[in-house]
Amino acid sequence: QVQLVESGGGLVQPGGSLRLSCVASGRIYTINDMGWYRQAPGKERELVANITRSGTTNYADSVKGRFTISRDNAKNMIHLQMSSLKPEDTAVYYCMAVLSMSFISPFYPRWGQGTQVTVSS
């Protein structure tokens, strides 16, 4: 099967930085888009940033200029460098990958379990 495992969450003060990482492993043929989503208490899950296999990126307006997504195709990994963090960035951050398990299999989105990011003084 396939696993997505996030790491790098934690508690940080406003204005601080964190770097999240996500690695996909298991029976993977190829991965198309990968991305980060977040869900704050009482709110719906929302896109933070995503990146195509060729490196084209897309960001939510709320994080533009503060967050940077990057990708290592050889390692099936993505990272999210978060800077100038605000209390409103507090959420569980989820990694997502749209992948196929074989050359004849369709592509499906797969999700990690999430990592908590708390921005508080």
Side-chain angles (χ1 to χ4, degrees), residues 30-104:
T30 191
I31 302 176
N32 281 349
D33 292 1
M34 298 185 77
W36 291 96
Y37 289 72
R38 67 186 181 187
Q39 188 168 18
K43 295 187 177 181
E44 293 187 353
R45 191 173 297 189
E46 63 176 2
L47 172 70
V48 176
N50 58 18
I51 184 168
T52 67
R53 186 170 183 81
S54 61
T56 300
T57 58
N58 177 53
Y59 295 93
D61 288 343
S62 59
V63 306
K64 283 181 181 177
R66 300 188 298 122
F67 291 10
T68 302
I69 189 171
S70 60
R71 177 169 178 166
D72 184 335
N73 289 328
K75 296 181 179 179
N76 290 338
M77 289 187 72
I78 57 170
H79 307 282
L80 186 68
Q81 179 66 47
M82 305 185 292
S83 303
S84 301
L85 283 160
K86 304 175 181 180
E88 51 263 44
D89 294 317
T90 296
V92 178
Y93 283 69
Y94 297 91
C95 174
M96 187 279 296
V98 180
L99 58 87
S100 172
M101 296 174 66
S102 77
F103 74 99
I104 58 171

Side-chain angles (χ1 to χ4, degrees), residues 13-31:
Q13 292 187 343
S17 299
L18 277 177
R19 186 174 188 249
L20 305 183
S21 297
C22 170
V23 59
S25 63
R27 187 182 172 187
I28 298 171
Y29 176 67
T30 191
I31 302 176

